[in-house]
Amino acid sequence: MEAIAADLLMALASGTAGAAGQQAWTSLRDLVRRRTTADAGREAPGEVQEVPSGEEEFTALDEDAGSVERARALARALALRATYDDTFRERFAAWRGAAEDAAAARTGSGNTDNSVTGGRQGTVIMGRDFHGPITFNRP
């Protein structure tokens, strides 16, 4: 299974993905802690000695959400566990889709360039991905 993006994990851990991202982070914690029948015999063939549950890596990123190394370690642990645990892979794929949707809804896609030039300006709003009404109360 392809590893999840480290920047997505960092956004979820740090809370920058909003309320939906925080919910996704909490549900990832629950998913990582949930044991499956494959957890009983956690031996992987070949050079992999033991399949990680991801709990250590999750906790480490939760403590330092800005660490790219910790985010990459969690991504690797999740991908490895999904490779050897069918039940986890299915649940993780469902979680991943929801988490990526939550992050995309929060941040949108693309860029925006804001600039104000010229003389005196009236009210100016700069930003991207506005949701809901914007009103101005003028006297």
Side-chain angles (χ1 to χ4, degrees), residues 9-139:
L9 292 171
M10 291 169 53
L12 297 175
S14 67
T16 59
Q22 290 173 340
Q23 289 176 341
W25 184 246
T26 300
S27 65
L28 178 60
R29 180 199 63 218
D30 296 342
L31 177 62
V32 166
R33 288 180 178 169
R34 185 178 297 138
R35 298 290 178 225
T36 64
T37 45
D39 288 326
R42 304 280 286 161
E43 293 182 25
E47 68 280 352
V48 178
Q49 297 298 322
E50 184 178 321
V51 178
S53 69
E55 286 187 66
E56 274 185 47
E57 295 83 358
F58 181 92
T59 301
L61 182 58
D62 198 31
E63 291 171 356
D64 184 5
S67 172
V68 175
E69 287 182 25
R70 290 180 182 198
R72 287 181 182 152
L74 177 57
R76 282 190 303 271
L78 295 173
L80 190 59
R81 183 172 174 188
T83 299
Y84 295 104
D85 184 338
D86 294 336
T87 304
F88 179 80
R89 180 175 45 252
E90 291 172 13
R91 292 175 180 167
F92 180 62
W95 173 87
R96 183 178 183 168
E100 288 173 346
D101 289 347
R106 174 73 175 164
T107 61
S109 62
N111 296 323
T112 185
D113 293 318
N114 297 314
S115 63
V116 176
T117 60
R120 184 175 176 181
Q121 304 296 323
T123 303
V124 176
I125 297 178
M126 296 181 148
R128 191 184 107 186
D129 299 334
F130 291 100
H131 301 281
I134 298 173
T135 59
F136 301 96
N137 297 325
R138 293 197 146 183

